[in-house]
Amino acid sequence: FFRKVPKENGRLRTKDKLGTFIKFFGEIEEQFDNKIKKHSIRRGDDLVVMVVNEGEIDLFLNFACSCKLHDISLNNIMVFAGSSEIVALIEATGAMGLYHEGYAAVSKKASVDYLDRVFVDMMWYKAFSIYLVLRRGINVLFQDVDLVWFRNPMQYFHDYRAAVHNRSVETGSFVDAFFSDDGQRSMRYTPFYANSGFYYLVANEKSTYFAWSIMAAMDAIQVLGSHQNVFTTKLVEGLALSQATTKILSLDEFPTGIMYHHNRDYMKRMRQKKVDPYGFHMCWTQGKPQKLVYLRKALMWYLKEECSPLESLLVDTRDRHMWGRGTPEHGVIYAYIDAGLKTMNSEDRWEALSSRCCMAMQGAP
């Protein structure tokens, strides 16, 4: 992974994305500022940031339903959308939805396979969204859409930073960044072993530069195929060399896909309510079809069938891979919103939509 050098084609695709972003930056910034002002979010506050295209909107809705069923508000969650059509659906949950043509075009289909074209294009959204938030002095928790929440994790970050004994021995500073433990111990994740799908950054010059450095390295992401690889190298170059104080989160409290695949005892204890994690990140998958299967098996699928007409999962017995048709049909949800939800205020709209679409499987955490 780390020996591949960015090529000219990658720089041209970076121009398409970064060039368009810079061209429309004034409008993008104004749109963002208006949105946070409307929601009374100021410098020093927290934002949860997610990115999604139409093909993975069901994963976002599953996350939203997990929050609803655990009495967690989505008011401080901002979702950068890959198309304008899904903004109304995002905002029907109480979250903030943003789309602008300057974000650069991305397919409406789901990423079927790890590192496929759709997957790589969405990495650009993961890069610029963080920069937009941090440069306004707002702390950010970034997370992928293949997560569910059982408890709001923001209090954990606040409590940990407030504890005097958690200051750095060398600098005396509090923790600037929290990263989930991917579980991998290969060179690709060294030395932090952090997963780029769930992390919390305190807004300052160090973290803002870290976000910019990833955004400006899209040519490397193009050739490497993954945000994770560039994320790791920039952690070393940026946060580590600037002596930012970091913490890797416990897998017991912030479990990732390694626990599903390699720790059956933990999964059993979670179903028995003997452990109390903040959520679960269903990473360690080859693509979206596997995520859907594993979330269901783990009893962490919180959408009713009528609101999640997901693509058929076809098992190829020759190579045991599962493939989906592509973009799911979410006609039921869109029709329900168009039928009258748009005229309701945000709180009533989410109550109506969640009562129609959210449910907990028997024995669900």
Side-chain angles (χ1 to χ4, degrees), residues 16 19 23 36 44 47 80 105 111 118 151 168 193 198 200 203 236 248 255 262 271 275 281 296 306 322 330 349 352:
D16 293 339
K23 176 183 176 181
I36 61 174
L47 260 185
F80 290 84
S111 171
V118 179
R151 292 190 284 160
S168 167
Y193 308 112
F198 186 87
Y200 177 81
V236 175
I248 302 299
H262 298 288
R271 289 192 297 271
V275 292
H281 184 190
R296 280 184 169 87
E306 65 177 298
M322 292 173 294
H330 296 292
R349 191 163 58 221

Side-chain angles (χ1 to χ4, degrees), residues 101-118:
E101 62 178 313
Y103 293 171
V106 65
S107 173
K108 293 184 179 182
K109 293 186 176 182
S111 171
V112 176
D113 201 20
Y114 183 60
L115 303 186
D116 67 13
R117 180 65 178 268
V118 179

Side-chain angles (χ1 to χ4, degrees), residues 271-284:
R271 289 192 297 271
Q272 295 173 339
K273 316 292 186 184
K274 293 181 178 179
V275 292
D276 189 23
Y278 284 88
F280 198 97
H281 184 190
M282 192 57 80
C283 52
W284 279 58

Side-chain angles (χ1 to χ4, degrees), residues 32-50:
F32 175 80
D33 288 343
N34 289 338
K35 184 68 71 171
I36 61 174
K37 182 178 180 181
K38 182 179 178 180
H39 288 258
S40 301
I41 296 169
R42 302 177 178 84
R43 177 178 293 270
D45 288 343
D46 295 315
L47 260 185
V48 180
V49 170
M50 305 172 75

Side-chain angles (χ1 to χ4, degrees), residues 95-232:
M96 293 169 273
L98 281 178
Y99 169 77
H100 193 282
E101 62 178 313
Y103 293 171
V106 65
S107 173
K108 293 184 179 182
K109 293 186 176 182
S111 171
V112 176
D113 201 20
Y114 183 60
L115 303 186
D116 67 13
R117 180 65 178 268
V118 179
F119 180 93
V120 175
D121 281 347
M122 287 306 296
M123 297 304 100
W124 167 244
Y125 280 66
K126 292 180 70 168
F128 79 74
S129 58
I130 298 303
Y131 175 70
L132 275 178
V133 177
L134 289 171
R135 72 186 302 273
R136 280 294 182 249
I138 299 169
N139 309 322
V140 60
L141 169 61
F142 177 85
Q143 68 168 48
D144 289 338
V145 291
D146 56 345
L147 274 111
V148 292
W149 278 10
F150 311 132
R151 292 190 284 160
N152 192 325
M154 286 301 183
Q155 195 60 48
Y156 173 91
F157 304 130
H158 295 167
D159 291 346
Y160 192 94
R161 295 192 76 236
V164 175
H165 64 270
N166 287 326
R167 290 191 181 192
S168 167
V169 176
E170 292 184 0
T171 65
S173 63
F174 294 104
V175 174
D176 294 307
F178 297 79
F179 302 99
S180 66
D181 187 342
D182 183 83
Q184 284 276 8
R185 293 297 181 264
S186 63
M187 181 180 292
R188 182 185 177 202
Y189 291 82
T190 304
F192 296 98
Y193 308 112
N195 183 289
S196 63
F198 186 87
Y199 59 93
Y200 177 81
L201 299 176
V202 176
N204 53 39
E205 289 183 351
K206 298 174 186 178
S207 59
T208 304
Y209 173 70
F210 169 66
W212 169 262
S213 70
I214 294 177
M215 192 170 73
M218 273 304 295
D219 57 342
I221 293 177
Q222 296 292 342
V223 73
L224 295 172
S226 174
H227 177 270
Q228 178 68 56
N229 304 321
V230 175
F231 184 86
T232 299

